Amino acid sequence: MVKEVLTFRVDTARVKPNDMYGQSKCPFCDRPSLTNILNDSGDFMWLMNKYPTLSQTVQTIIIESQAHDTNLTTYSASYMERLWQYIEECWEKMASSGQYASTVLLKNHGPMSGSSLKHPHLQLIGLEKIDATAMRVASDFEGLELYSDDYCQATLSTQPIMGFVELNIISKRHHHSPIVSQVIQALVRYILISYQGNRFNSYNLHGWLFEDKQVIKIIPRWVDSAYYTGFGISQVYNSEELVKIRDEIRTVYLKNLS
């Protein structure tokens, strides 16, 4: 089996603005200077990534807000729904172009996530050669049920890809459901407010488009497990701890869904 890898452009990465660790001016706050805009809705903007660091990809960015000091957990329910619908529309437009083997969504938040800019944004990436969906199996997104209705299911992984806590949202593709954005926001709030006693300030949000479904996986980020980085072996909490996490998410963060 040939291993699929992406080539990282180091020279491009070295000149990217970075206000996560450095003192760079935030480019997303200077909206008049932004170029290669694909769509501008006012609150949200979809544009080409000015500093594409991956070969054989097309990297685009969605700016989530004009405000610099905000994040997904602080948005109102109506704002979050409008944002997620905008993301879905841009994502489907990119996927339906026929130019890519697959299109994926990636959101980095916090210093341990790989993010270089604090301004709230995410990436839609067209992979020219790699089918990211073919690299996943159904068990990657299965686990203890957190929420379920006719259009959306949320689970806590019992067979995680990398390890420990991975939160999944599986929804019907081509069918916008307001509940999806509420579930995503609730699970991110759990990670940043409660998980491990509020010790985590970073997460990654990953997204895949399968033929009939959209799948989101949210992972708290800290120092990666040596068992995974060295041996490719993922770990999972014992069943008692998983049930405890499931129950807290259900009773505290998902109780007021409408």
Side-chain angles (χ1 to χ4, degrees), residues 50-90:
K50 189 175 180 179
Y51 301 94
T53 57
L54 299 173
S55 297
Q56 294 188 320
T57 68
V58 172
Q59 295 175 256
T60 72
I61 289 171
I62 290 181
I63 301 173
E64 301 174 17
S65 170
Q66 295 194 41
H68 180 84
D69 294 316
T70 187
N71 66 74
L72 188 150
T73 66
T74 67
Y75 303 151
S76 68
S78 60
Y79 189 95
M80 182 66 192
E81 183 189 348
R82 288 196 300 112
L83 170 63
W84 194 253
Q85 186 166 13
Y86 181 82
I87 291 167
E88 288 179 329
E89 290 171 357
C90 296

Side-chain angles (χ1 to χ4, degrees), residues 5-20:
V5 297
L6 290 169
T7 300
F8 187 75
R9 298 168 175 157
V10 179
D11 291 346
T12 302
R14 284 174 177 157
V15 298
K16 284 177 58 178
N18 186 325
D19 66 1
M20 190 64 66

